Amino acid sequence: MIFFDLHNISTDVQAVEVANYLVVEAIDVAKSQRSKRRRINVTLAKIEKLIALCQHMKWSEPIEILKSSFTRLEDAKAELDVNLWRI
């Protein structure tokens, strides 16, 4: 799990580095078994914060990196909801 402070990200290079870490974290969370819903929500919040910062600073590369991870987590969250109703 990665912890970052938005105040410490001042260049697009740093944002790309954090985005790459979040991609790996999103893959781990999507494939996890324990506490999946909570971990998905935490990782989605991190991705949304970084995307908001990148939009404000007009950095497009980190946003492109994070789009697929965001979609992957949304799909995993929807899958959890479907499995909930199957019980």
Side-chain angles (χ1 to χ4, degrees):
M1 181 173 281
I2 182 175
F3 297 101
F4 63 91
D5 187 12
L6 291 178
H7 297 289
N8 294 335
I9 300 173
S10 58
T11 65
D12 59 339
V13 175
Q14 292 172 333
V16 167
E17 185 177 327
V18 172
N20 287 326
Y21 282 118
L22 286 174
V23 167
V24 173
E25 185 173 333
I27 292 169
D28 288 341
V29 168
K31 299 297 180 187
S32 69
Q33 297 299 319
R34 300 179 62 140
S35 305
K36 191 171 185 173
R37 183 176 305 278
R38 182 186 58 79
R39 291 178 67 194
I40 287 172
N41 288 335
V42 168
T43 306
L44 280 173
K46 291 178 187 178
I47 290 173
E48 288 171 349
K49 286 180 185 179
L50 185 59
I51 287 175
L53 175 68
C54 292
Q55 287 174 339
H56 176 73
M57 302 298 277
K58 296 180 178 51
W59 298 330
S60 60
E61 187 178 357
I63 295 172
E64 293 298 320
I65 292 170
L66 291 171
K67 279 183 183 178
S68 64
S69 296
F70 190 82
T71 305
R72 180 186 319 264
L73 290 175
E74 287 291 328
D75 291 345
K77 190 174 183 180
E79 184 179 308
L80 280 175
D81 292 337
V82 168
N83 287 339
L84 177 68
W85 290 106
R86 200 181 313 170
I87 296 175

